[in-house]
Amino acid sequence: MTENKGFQLGTIGALTLSVVSSVSIVICNKALMSSLHFIFATTLTSWHLLVTFCSLHVALWMKFFEHKPIESQTVIGFGILNGISIGLLNLSLGFNSVGFYQMTKLAIIPCTVFLETLFLSKKFSRDIKISLAVLLLGVGIATITDLQLNILGSILSLLAVATTCVAQIMTNTIQKKYKISSTQLLYQSCLYQAMTLLISGPFLDKLLTTQNVFSFNYTPRVVGFIVLSCLIAISVNFSTFLVIGKTSPVTYQVLGHLKTCLVLAFGYCLLRDPFNWRNILGIMVAMVGMILYSYYCTLENQKKAEETSALSQAKEAESDPLLHVETGTTKLSDLPVSKDSVWESNKDFRA
């Protein structure tokens, strides 16, 4: 019971860290891109990852965590795939309308559910699916304003959804397969992510903005905001791996849409961004969906814990002969049997 409470507290802490850091970096980057006109998102992301790697290397040197080797092919492939997914998402935003880009992000949840069901044999209950549908409906109402389609943009969006889903599923799978922490996985993979974006970033940014990142006027204020953005990104990247490792890719995407709603609300309350009844209605519907999702996840986690406990007691009864002497002869059919778990609990702004 104590271990379960510790896991729940750890999960809540990871979710809170993810929300706070992501909203903070959105505010910082909005000032950097809108006010200071530094619009090179992909290159900025590569700096985020490079700073994250350096900080984790220092943490490893100070023995805050231990290095646990993973197969080099797995780590390199995983890191490059993550870098590609970030680049494709940025290209999707550049070649599509904002509304279609939001649709792309919404498509990540059903695509992840489909892939996990097909390849990992995971089962999602009807209640979970309904709550996800309500959440997606709310986010769609709040964020989608237009759906201008074009062939190139559509292809980029499909590739972005596919690579993002696979990368996030791999995050969860690798951590469980190799029994490593989110910090250990992030340390070993983020350098490959950073190198992928460092090489491709300037070209992608030139393609999207027609400007050269190296000829930008780096004033002290711009540099200060870039440094602040990179420091916040350490927390964003760490919390991303932490949340996916402790929960699932689906839960992380749900959290991402919550952050979208919070950013919209923050923008209206403090920055006086344009807001209308659709935004308010969408946020309310999305919050209902997220509350339902959290509620059903909690119920199913409790059910799974009870089934695990019953199975453990059954095994103890079978393996301990003194227990049979004390309690009398127990038939195998009288022992509690674990049922199949219906569902196993498991990046809105990219850092």
Side-chain angles (χ1 to χ4, degrees), residues 31-32 35-36 216-228:
L32 184 59
S35 303
L36 302 177
F216 187 81
N217 181 25
Y218 290 91
T219 64
R221 191 179 181 191
V222 170
V223 173
F225 269 93
I226 290 174
V227 171
L228 178 61

Side-chain angles (χ1 to χ4, degrees), residues 24-170:
S24 299
I25 204 168
V26 167
I27 298 167
C28 178
N29 286 352
K30 183 168 185 177
L32 184 59
M33 294 184 178
S34 299
S35 303
L36 302 177
H37 309 293
F38 184 87
I39 54 176
F40 310 102
T42 307
T43 301
L44 180 62
T45 303
S46 69
W47 296 344
H48 287 170
L49 290 165
L50 195 59
V51 170
T52 299
F53 172 77
C54 293
S55 63
L56 288 175
H57 191 70
V58 172
L60 178 65
W61 178 71
M62 297 178 69
K63 297 184 178 179
F64 283 110
F65 68 97
E66 294 181 359
H67 177 70
K68 192 170 183 180
I70 311 175
E71 294 178 2
S72 58
Q73 290 182 339
T74 300
V75 174
I76 295 173
F78 173 70
I80 293 175
L81 179 63
N82 267 286
I84 291 172
S85 73
I86 295 172
L88 285 171
L89 281 168
N90 287 338
L91 283 174
S92 175
L93 178 58
F95 283 91
N96 290 302
S97 64
V98 174
F100 192 80
Y101 175 71
Q102 290 296 338
M103 281 293 295
T104 298
K105 289 168 65 177
L106 289 179
I108 292 174
I109 284 184
C111 181
T112 302
V113 170
F114 173 76
L115 290 176
E116 289 193 319
T117 302
L118 184 63
F119 294 105
L120 301 181
S121 300
K122 285 192 175 182
K123 295 181 180 179
F124 296 85
S125 69
R126 182 173 60 89
D127 291 334
I128 291 291
K129 292 176 182 177
I130 291 174
S131 63
L132 288 174
V134 173
L135 170 72
L136 295 178
L137 175 64
V139 176
I141 293 172
T143 60
I144 295 175
T145 54
D146 61 275
L147 289 174
Q148 299 175 6
L149 304 178
N150 64 81
I151 295 176
L152 178 59
S154 299
I155 293 173
L156 290 171
S157 292
L158 286 173
L159 292 173
V161 170
T163 53
T164 301
C165 290
V166 173
Q168 291 182 357
I169 290 173
M170 283 182 67

Side-chain angles (χ1 to χ4, degrees), residues 68-344:
K68 192 170 183 180
I70 311 175
E71 294 178 2
S72 58
Q73 290 182 339
T74 300
V75 174
I76 295 173
F78 173 70
I80 293 175
L81 179 63
N82 267 286
I84 291 172
S85 73
I86 295 172
L88 285 171
L89 281 168
N90 287 338
L91 283 174
S92 175
L93 178 58
F95 283 91
N96 290 302
S97 64
V98 174
F100 192 80
Y101 175 71
Q102 290 296 338
M103 281 293 295
T104 298
K105 289 168 65 177
L106 289 179
I108 292 174
I109 284 184
C111 181
T112 302
V113 170
F114 173 76
L115 290 176
E116 289 193 319
T117 302
L118 184 63
F119 294 105
L120 301 181
S121 300
K122 285 192 175 182
K123 295 181 180 179
F124 296 85
S125 69
R126 182 173 60 89
D127 291 334
I128 291 291
K129 292 176 182 177
I130 291 174
S131 63
L132 288 174
V134 173
L135 170 72
L136 295 178
L137 175 64
V139 176
I141 293 172
T143 60
I144 295 175
T145 54
D146 61 275
L147 289 174
Q148 299 175 6
L149 304 178
N150 64 81
I151 295 176
L152 178 59
S154 299
I155 293 173
L156 290 171
S157 292
L158 286 173
L159 292 173
V161 170
T163 53
T164 301
C165 290
V166 173
Q168 291 182 357
I169 290 173
M170 283 182 67
T171 301
N172 185 267
T173 304
I174 291 173
Q175 283 189 242
K176 291 181 177 178
K177 178 180 177 181
Y178 293 97
K179 293 181 174 57
I180 60 173
S181 68
S182 55
T183 307
Q184 291 169 327
L185 178 58
L186 179 60
Y187 171 69
Q188 295 189 60
S189 64
C190 69
L191 179 61
Y192 299 106
Q193 296 181 52
M195 294 306 297
T196 302
L197 294 177
L198 275 171
I199 295 171
S200 62
F203 298 100
L204 291 179
D205 287 331
K206 182 69 178 293
L207 180 65
L208 296 173
T209 66
T210 68
Q211 298 181 38
N212 189 340
V213 65
F214 299 112
S215 61
F216 187 81
N217 181 25
Y218 290 91
T219 64
R221 191 179 181 191
V222 170
V223 173
F225 269 93
I226 290 174
V227 171
L228 178 61
S229 179
C230 289
L231 293 176
I232 299 174
I234 296 172
S235 178
V236 174
N237 289 319
F238 174 71
S239 64
T240 295
F241 280 69
L242 194 61
V243 169
I244 296 176
K246 284 187 172 292
T247 57
S248 75
V250 173
T251 299
Y252 178 73
Q253 285 300 321
V254 169
L255 188 68
H257 292 309
L258 168 64
K259 290 183 282 191
T260 299
C261 294
L262 290 176
V263 169
L264 284 173
F266 175 86
Y268 174 71
C269 294
L270 298 184
L271 303 179
R272 298 302 174 188
D273 287 345
F275 216 64
N276 55 41
W277 67 268
R278 285 187 60 214
N279 300 126
I280 298 172
L281 175 63
I283 290 174
M284 291 176 64
V285 172
M287 292 302 294
V288 169
M290 207 198 78
I291 291 171
L292 288 174
Y293 177 80
S294 302
Y295 173 73
Y296 290 129
C297 282
T298 302
L299 287 182
E300 294 188 5
N301 285 338
Q302 289 175 349
K303 183 178 179 181
K304 181 186 174 184
E306 290 171 358
E307 290 173 351
T308 303
S309 176
L311 180 60
S312 177
Q313 291 174 5
K315 288 181 178 179
E316 287 177 4
E318 290 175 358
S319 61
D320 190 352
L322 294 177
L323 188 60
H324 293 282
V325 173
E326 293 174 1
T327 60
T329 304
T330 305
K331 296 179 182 178
L332 185 61
S333 59
D334 294 333
L335 297 175
V337 180
S338 175
K339 299 177 182 178
D340 291 334
S341 177
V342 292
W343 182 72
E344 182 174 349

